[in-house]
Amino acid sequence: TIGSTLEVLADRTLRLSGAFADPVVVAGTLEASAGASLTLENGLTLQSGGSVSLGSAGAVRYAAGTYAITGGSLTTRDLQIATSGTTNFTHSNGTAQATNLSIGTGADSVATYDHTGGSLQVQSFRVGSPSGPGAASNVTGTYTLGGTGSLTASGVANIGLNGSSGSFVMTGGSASLFEVYIRSGGSLDISGGTFSTTTRSLNVDGTGSVSLSGGTLNTSSSATASIAGSFTQTGGTHNSAPINVSGSYDLSSGSLDVVGTAGLALSGTFTLEGSAGLSTTKLTQTAGLFDHVASTHETGILAVNGGTYRMAAGSLSIASSWTLGSGGTFDFADGSGTVNVAASAAVNLSQGTILNAGSATVNVLGSETFVVFPTGFDPQAVFGTFSNEGTTYTVGTTLVVQNGRTIDLAG
């Protein structure tokens, strides 16, 4: 009856085309007519055993109300949650496949997609996706993933697009996405489960934010992650591709492991504190502040070419190279921090500035390690404790290579 809910029962098959204006509940089979497509304008509730296939140009649009996928399978081009009003959508079982998913589209709309089971497979994934001019500031979209839910996005994921408010909240399950942008109106909050980018990486715009308190975040090693907004890690594991931090990253618990030749590039603010563990193949700092308040930082290469690396406490282990550029400052902040340099590493601190090192400890291992300090610098007087098993050289003095020591120079 026109104006009422269409119910397709478990043992029934229905084929339609064009646009259907009333709500639909499917436990049987609903298909687009041969060679045609079907648009459901007022939402779909899909039950266990149900099957819905809407054709190559098909769509499901959800206006204000409460809807669910509790089983079965859905195949469509467009899946739009909250074209108007407040829409609550739950997905607890079954499979939904769509080319384009938008959560929060219409002006003044509020959309929630609560995904606790079953699989969601899409190409384009948008949370907060305004559909028209002037809609952005009044669009709110939230996607929550937990339980045994599984999300796969083979295209770009945008959270908080065009000034809308978009949130991705993950408490469990698994998410595998090609590339992720946390836009200026977006946030990503991970407290459980596994979140991965597969081919490209994670990008956080200026006022976008990421919070990691549990679970695992993996970003692809084939692209560089970009943090221009804020990233707060209070737990969990972050396995990262090379990462560029021009905004802020606060690591107080859990672990961050940065791989790739480029390692961690810093021009903003990075804070290492609490019980966190940080491992980088390389840290290159050109500006800003690396604030080593506590805990352990292990790196292959440390190059402070600009800005300040401030180390009040904790330990820094350097495997192959430590350099201080003319615009860089290493400030030990009158703290008890310890720097350990591995055997055969290259240490060139002849430029830049070393401050407040009277209580700091620097240990350099290996008979082949070569350490260079600037003119007039006396490491025994500047550092609380300084030891070097290799050769120490101060610019402007005679280079003495003692018996049993080896250095390798060029140029």
Side-chain angles (χ1 to χ4, degrees), residues 321-359:
S321 175
W322 179 15
T323 59
L324 187 60
S326 59
T329 298
F330 204 104
D331 184 359
F332 285 92
D334 292 319
S336 57
T338 298
V339 179
N340 296 308
V341 181
S344 301
V347 180
N348 187 349
L349 307 179
S350 63
Q351 302 183 68
T353 304
I354 297 174
L355 299 174
N356 306 312
S359 298

Side-chain angles (χ1 to χ4, degrees), residues 1-8 14 16-26 30 38-46 52 54 59-64 66-67:
T1 302
I2 293 175
S4 64
T5 299
L6 169 64
E7 295 186 39
V8 182
L14 179 63
L16 299 172
S17 63
F20 191 85
D22 290 326
V24 178
V25 176
V26 177
L30 175 62
L38 174 62
T39 297
L40 304 181
E41 297 283 4
N42 202 7
L44 166 70
T45 295
L46 182 60
V52 177
L54 301 180
V60 185
R61 300 189 175 101
Y62 292 87
T66 299
Y67 308 89

Side-chain angles (χ1 to χ4, degrees), residues 76-393:
T76 184
R77 185 188 66 180
D78 299 323
L79 188 58
Q80 299 177 349
I81 314 295
T83 54
S84 64
T86 298
T87 304
N88 297 306
F89 185 91
T90 60
H91 185 171
S92 59
N93 204 346
T95 300
Q97 295 179 304
T99 304
N100 305 301
L101 170 64
S102 300
I103 303 172
T105 62
D108 301 315
S109 65
V110 178
T112 300
Y113 192 127
D114 187 11
H115 188 184
T116 59
S119 66
L120 173 60
Q121 302 167 19
V122 300
Q123 181 173 332
S124 171
F125 180 85
R126 296 183 173 192
V127 183
S129 180
S131 60
S137 61
N138 299 314
V139 171
T140 300
T142 302
Y143 173 79
T144 62
L145 178 61
T148 60
S150 171
L151 166 66
T152 302
S154 60
V156 176
N158 283 283
I159 316 298
L161 192 64
N162 296 331
S164 64
S165 176
S167 301
F168 189 127
V169 180
M170 187 172 186
T171 60
S174 64
S176 178
L177 305 102
F178 173 80
E179 183 176 24
V180 179
Y181 285 89
I182 310 299
R183 301 297 186 180
S184 292
S187 64
L188 171 62
D189 185 345
I190 303 171
S191 59
T194 301
F195 184 106
S196 303
T197 62
T198 58
T199 304
R200 296 184 183 170
S201 202
L202 173 67
N203 306 277
V204 185
D205 287 355
T207 57
S209 65
V210 176
S211 173
L212 176 62
S213 59
T216 301
L217 170 60
N218 300 314
T219 58
S220 170
S221 60
S222 63
T224 299
S226 175
I227 311 297
S230 64
F231 195 119
T232 303
Q233 185 175 353
T234 58
T237 300
H238 185 184
N239 301 310
S240 180
I243 183 171
N244 187 341
V245 179
S246 58
S248 66
Y249 196 122
D250 190 335
L251 174 61
S252 62
S253 187
S255 64
L256 169 61
D257 185 9
V258 183
V259 300
T261 303
L264 170 61
L266 177 65
S267 58
T269 301
F270 192 104
T271 303
L272 176 62
E273 56 186 337
S275 60
L278 171 63
S279 175
T280 58
T281 51
K282 180 180 182 179
L283 169 61
T284 303
Q285 184 175 355
T286 56
L289 173 65
F290 190 105
D291 198 2
H292 192 155
V293 179
S295 196
T296 300
H297 177 196
E298 297 180 353
T299 188
I301 298 171
L302 175 61
V304 183
N305 300 323
T308 298
Y309 190 117
R310 184 167 60 203
M311 187 179 183
S315 66
L316 169 63
S317 297
I318 301 170
S320 61
S321 175
W322 179 15
T323 59
L324 187 60
S326 59
T329 298
F330 204 104
D331 184 359
F332 285 92
D334 292 319
S336 57
T338 298
V339 179
N340 296 308
V341 181
S344 301
V347 180
N348 187 349
L349 307 179
S350 63
Q351 302 183 68
T353 304
I354 297 174
L355 299 174
N356 306 312
S359 298
T361 297
V362 176
N363 300 312
V364 182
L365 303 178
S367 62
E368 297 183 3
T369 305
F370 185 43
V371 180
V372 182
F373 289 111
T375 302
F377 191 95
D378 182 358
Q380 300 296 342
V382 172
F383 298 111
T385 301
F386 175 78
S387 65
N388 181 12
E389 296 178 353
T391 300
T392 300
Y393 169 65

